[in-house]
Amino acid sequence: MNPQLSVSRRTRSTPFTNRVEAAGVTAYTVYNHMLLPTVFESVEADYWHLCEHVQVWDVSAERQVAIEGPDAYPLIQLMTPRDLSKAKVGKCFYLPLCNVDGGIINDPIAIKLDEQSWWLSIADSDVILWAKGLATGMNLDVNISEPDIWPLAVQGPKAEQLMARVFGEQVKDIRFFNIRPLEFKGVSMQVARSGWSKQGGFEVYVNDAATGQALWDTLFAQGQDFHVRAGCPNLIERIESGLLSFGNDIDYDNTPFEAGLDRYIDLDADINSLSLPALRQQKVTQKLMGMVLYSQAKVTDTVIVINGQQAGEIRSLCFSPKYQVQLAFVLVDLNHIALGDPVSVATDTGEQPGLICHLPFDFVTLGLSARIL
Amino acid sequence: MNPQLSVSRRTRSTPFTNRVEAAGVTAYTVYNHMLLPTVFESVEADYWHLCEHVQVWDVSAERQVAIEGPDAYPLIQLMTPRDLSKAKVGKCFYLPLCNVDGGIINDPIAIKLDEQSWWLSIADSDVILWAKGLATGMNLDVNISEPDIWPLAVQGPKAEQLMARVFGEQVKDIRFFNIRPLEFKGVSMQVARSGWSKQGGFEVYVNDAATGQALWDTLFAQGQDFHVRAGCPNLIERIESGLLSFGNDIDYDNTPFEAGLDRYIDLDADINSLSLPALRQQKVTQKLMGMVLYSQAKVTDTVIVINGQQAGEIRSLCFSPKYQVQLAFVLVDLNHIALGDPVSVATDTGEQPGLICHLPFDFVTLGLSARIL
């Protein structure tokens, strides 16, 4: 039997929790001290529906850390090795935040709202404490807060059509990782083309609980013929799509190089970033990669073995119903494993062979063809 | 139906999770990104057992933030308004950590291991980010880490007898909130007389997973005649005992004065504390107090009403089987409510009267007598 989650004030509910429960949520996780749905019908049924139709997700747990004031940009630049000196208002940026050792302390989407106002739409760690600690220690001229913003994601191939019905055709003009204020029932809310799936869609940064609830209801009323359902970030879809999860796949002990986030590190930029000195020196000896396991046997240990030696660790794992294999994100020791190496993992039917590959998964090169339900 | 908890690498398991599950855990919460058991048989059955016998608790989620180096004390003193200038090695200190506004960011037990080495045994927020942010910003000479320490609590009226069987009679010499290293199977571990109940007991700071598992098994083998069971921090026991829960009863928006923690604020101390300037200025207008609700009806709203006006909020609530009333911690507006005031709350049988009182509850003054099962 799976254990239940004890819900309390500390595991904050959201303006959508009643609706999520009425829609039949069966499991949650706790993320940024807040309820985040993880399963409705089943992970696999939710997955197929997401790939085919449109879902509304309560991702209020993506909390916003608002950083405002003359030192907003300098503080954010200190926190990341990605060069934001030319960032434009109205854009979103995937941003590894790193400490002085280069370790990742979060990987938010940064949103530049105006020249002195940013949001960090965070993964699961208390970025507000890191930002406030730095700002206090350095006496920076910023205001840092966690405003009551509850993002609602609309995801799936029919997301754009549904959003256009609710917000008008103008949503189609919003390009990927762009954000702009749109009105719903007279309330202006930021709307971005983004979301934690690769099925397309938007995130609405709801800033008023009652309006957000009306928006939820309108999305369902307007989306009946699109088979709209309540959904949530989906384990299978995010692994197939190569989307990392902070705390699962990467954590404080990993640098962005180890996470394969090289393109978000501007080693040569003339910026004041806490982590760049360490990252410039780093010799990468472990790296997050993909693993394909052709067996469907239940994996019983996270250790990856090559030639009888421990050579890595499974960090996330799912069965892919589309490709009929198990897919994993694995942190591997580059001294022991290279691309294409055959490895083995322990399962309930004994040791089973796996194959190490690039991320994101390239299913064509892997010789895997998609099965359509 | 209560929702399940989705367990992943991000909701870290502990060296004891297998044993906790074998012992029949039925619910968890997530605390410091880690599994914390909340229910075994039922909250009420667990409660009666805790009050009568002895329980072993997996409180690994009480993570240790280790702060070491020449600036360890100066950094910790900056973080708290409690005067630690005369703190002695081998002592534990309940410590509100506050930001520059006086807001509580955590309320750990601080442990002074030696002159330059402290642990903060934390509640549920990422204190490591706050401490590292300050240390980085101020260029302090400290090393800050979260070592692999998994506290195991032994709680209940028979805890001392059981601990004496396992660690020897010397445990009886450890006074409340004192800590010292003791050996188990040749491994030295810190042992304190402390724990998140008022039933008495100890916390063992397990520093080796295999030794910890052997300790768990030994406690059960040696404690059979004491009716030892797996347990966990218990909602009823902690409310009856007046033990606060960070994130439930108090959070970033509350100062220690509002939380009733006045005795941990040294307003006149000559110390360098970030929060003291703000706390010296604060006029307290809201305060955490107790509420007794004589009805057993299910409370349906957290709002507390007096004379038709919203005058406070319920933060934690339980039915006390010992006193046959509902007990709550409530944050009240001091402009609207005073001690002994009759208030009302919404329940599924309509509005029911409540009584505002001091914390911790003084059951004698309240005229409540204990029922023994």
Side-chain angles (χ1 to χ4, degrees), chain B residues 62 82 84 87-96 107-113 118-122 153 155 160 171-181 190-203 205 243-244 261 263-264:
Chain B
E62 294 171 6
R82 181 172 180 182
L84 292 174
K88 295 206 174 95
V89 169
K91 299 277 184 182
C92 307
F93 306 87
Y94 177 75
L95 213 62
D107 64 335
I109 305 295
I111 300 163
K112 187 171 180 181
L113 295 170
W118 296 69
W119 284 345
L120 301 177
S121 187
I122 60 173
Q155 299 285 299
E160 185 177 67
V171 298
K172 296 183 178 173
D173 300 333
I174 304 177
R175 283 181 301 171
F176 186 65
F177 264 39
N178 280 233
I179 191 165
R180 69 168 69 162
Q190 296 285 344
V191 178
R193 191 184 289 264
S194 58
W196 210 58
S197 83
K198 292 283 186 189
Q199 304 308 312
F202 296 84
E203 288 175 297
Y205 289 80
L243 292 169
L244 304 189
L261 301 174
R263 67 189 177 284
Y264 302 106

Side-chain angles (χ1 to χ4, degrees), chain A residues 134-148:
Chain A
L134 289 172
T136 300
M138 294 177 168
N139 205 18
L140 300 181
D141 188 4
V142 285
N143 183 40
I144 301 169
S145 64
E146 191 189 294
D148 276 335

Side-chain angles (χ1 to χ4, degrees), chain A residues 2-6 8-10 26-31 33 38 124-126 129-130 133 137 246-248 251 315, chain B residues 2-6 8-10 26-31 33 38 124-126 129-130 133 137 246-248 251 315:
Chain A
N2 287 316
Q4 294 183 345
L5 171 66
S6 291
S8 67
R9 182 174 181 271
R10 189 177 53 75
T26 54
Y28 286 110
T29 188
V30 179
Y31 196 92
H33 316 279
T38 51
D124 180 37
S125 69
D126 297 330
L129 294 181
W130 174 240
F246 178 75
N248 283 312
D251 57 34
R315 297 224 151 165
Chain B
N2 287 318
Q4 293 182 346
L5 172 65
S6 292
S8 67
R9 182 174 181 273
R10 189 176 52 75
T26 53
Y28 287 110
T29 188
V30 180
Y31 196 93
H33 316 279
T38 51
D124 181 36
S125 70
D126 297 330
L129 295 180
W130 175 241
F246 178 76
N248 282 314
D251 57 33
R315 297 224 149 165

Side-chain angles (χ1 to χ4, degrees), chain A residues 298-346:
Chain A
K298 183 180 163 60
V299 173
T300 52
D301 194 343
T302 59
V303 171
I304 296 167
V305 174
I306 187 164
N307 297 328
Q309 274 205 301
Q310 181 168 343
E313 179 193 39
I314 297 171
R315 297 224 151 165
S316 290
L317 173 75
C318 72
F319 173 70
S320 163
K322 192 176 274 176
Y323 298 103
Q324 296 286 308
V325 294
Q326 294 192 72
L327 299 173
F329 294 160
V330 293
L331 189 73
V332 299
D333 181 343
L334 295 176
N335 295 317
H336 286 97
I337 301 190
L339 205 66
D341 267 353
V343 295
S344 69
V345 296

